[in-house]
Amino acid sequence: MSGTAKGDGVSEAKAEVAKKPRVSPAEFVRQVQTETRKIAWPTLPDTVRMTIMVLIMTTLLSVFFLGIDQILGRTVKFLLSLAA
């Protein structure tokens, strides 16, 4: 045996990952542009459809939580009136 501990291979692997060369700001911008071109952007009709669905769901949830809030508020008032 060479006298190394069991975990040395793991720490060496972490050291290799940590030693990645830094890229210049210009290279970083080029990499970002390359990745941005890979994005599948939604079409206008898809965007409109998703926006409408978000507005509908937001409205439904706000009405739901308003109802729950009213029920809980009235329940607390009722319980407090019993204690008085």
Side-chain angles (χ1 to χ4, degrees), residues 21-35 37:
R22 301 191 85 151
V23 295
S24 68
E27 179 62 25
F28 176 75
V29 170
R30 278 192 290 277
Q31 290 175 357
V32 169
Q33 288 172 341
T34 301
E35 292 299 320
R37 287 187 198 103

Side-chain angles (χ1 to χ4, degrees), residues 46-64:
D46 287 340
T47 304
V48 170
R49 189 177 323 113
M50 287 186 274
T51 301
I52 291 170
M53 289 303 297
V54 166
L55 293 173
I56 290 171
M57 292 305 295
T58 304
T59 303
L60 289 174
L61 284 171
S62 66
V63 169
F64 171 75

